[in-house]
Amino acid sequence: MPDNIRARFHIAFPSERGQSFCLDVDAMLPGSGIIAIFGHSGSGKTTLLRCIAGLQKIDRGRLIVNGETWQDEKNFLPTHKRQLGYVFQEASLFPHLCGRDNLEYALKRSGGHCQPKMVQRVIALMGIEPVLDRYPDQMSGGERQRVAIARALLIRPRLLLMDEPLASLDMARKQEILPYLERLRAEFAIPILYVSHSMYEVARLADYLLVLDKGRVAAQGAVSDVLSQLNLPLGFGEEAGVVLTGKVLERDSRWHLVRIGFSGGELWLPDNSDLGKEALRVRILARDVSLALEARDDTSVLNRLPVEVCEIGAGSNEATALVRLKCGDSYIIASLTRKSLARLRIEPGMKVWAQIKSAAIVQ
């Protein structure tokens, strides 16, 4: 059975105040992991999710989920028959039911196919045992959202849809819930379509990235590949940067630093006791990368990597440019002023040194 999701939708919405919108998407997505759907407001992210859920019925659509046809020219599987879970921006728990009874509702929807071990596994995964006897108005925003995610999982979905699930939370609550979403990705082999306009969430969680711009696919692919592209029409502005995967090689307890290895070399970054020996992600923002023609030791920058200039593209304004750099088997991006480019005579094919501040690396 094919392990992928084929989604093809075309729908034009009537003009409102002289503006019209058309969703025209044809994408082949992986059948597992977190697939982030990213784009600015009005790009069609939620509309695409509603089409996949069957909440937006259109004539010109085709959806195949891991070998099972949910919609084509002749068939349309209604939402209640699609084996999916849906998590909205707001937790949408039943206010008159406590956390445990909200989960019971999901168990009934699963037709009794969810075993007690599975229930306990989900409760432990989302860390919600202490709040099961509370009502939604007695929970924090993060707790409500974790219960909502658990409820969606207990339906035993073949596909989990998440529409900006952290958008209504403050930064502290977001930081609280992100580790649970990482565990969810690691422990459940189901595809998760995760709509977001937060590049931080995308970089931390996503395995695959679909970028929408004005209802159309602007880019798609592995998150590391897409984020290193310079020619995306919407750009990422000050959030332009890449995601690297590496593992802990050494801890320096004296200076509270950790050394990680990745396919392009090694990096030092501030130690975090939560970092283990397994694969971890590091996000490097383009604005925190500078270039030098030679390796220098008389600098405060700890991370200096030999790289090759691959491409030079437009920056976030007329004064800046983005430079794509090959580093081993990986890519990083630097944001430089055009004056610096001219002064150093940076051109594609040149071998230079990338300098990255350890404090600037976002875990």
Side-chain angles (χ1 to χ4, degrees), residues 285-312:
L285 298 176
R287 65 172 183 252
D288 296 321
V289 180
S290 63
L291 299 183
L293 299 182
E294 298 177 356
R296 302 181 63 92
D297 292 325
D298 58 342
T299 173
S300 63
V301 179
L302 287 177
N303 298 307
R304 301 182 298 279
L305 299 170
V307 296
E308 179 181 345
V309 178
C310 296
E311 181 185 359
I312 300 174

Side-chain angles (χ1 to χ4, degrees), residues 241-258:
V242 299
V243 174
L244 303 176
T245 301
K247 65 178 181 179
V248 175
L249 300 177
E250 174 190 355
R251 277 194 162 88
D252 187 330
S253 58
R254 179 184 180 187
W255 302 112
H256 307 287
L257 296 171
V258 63

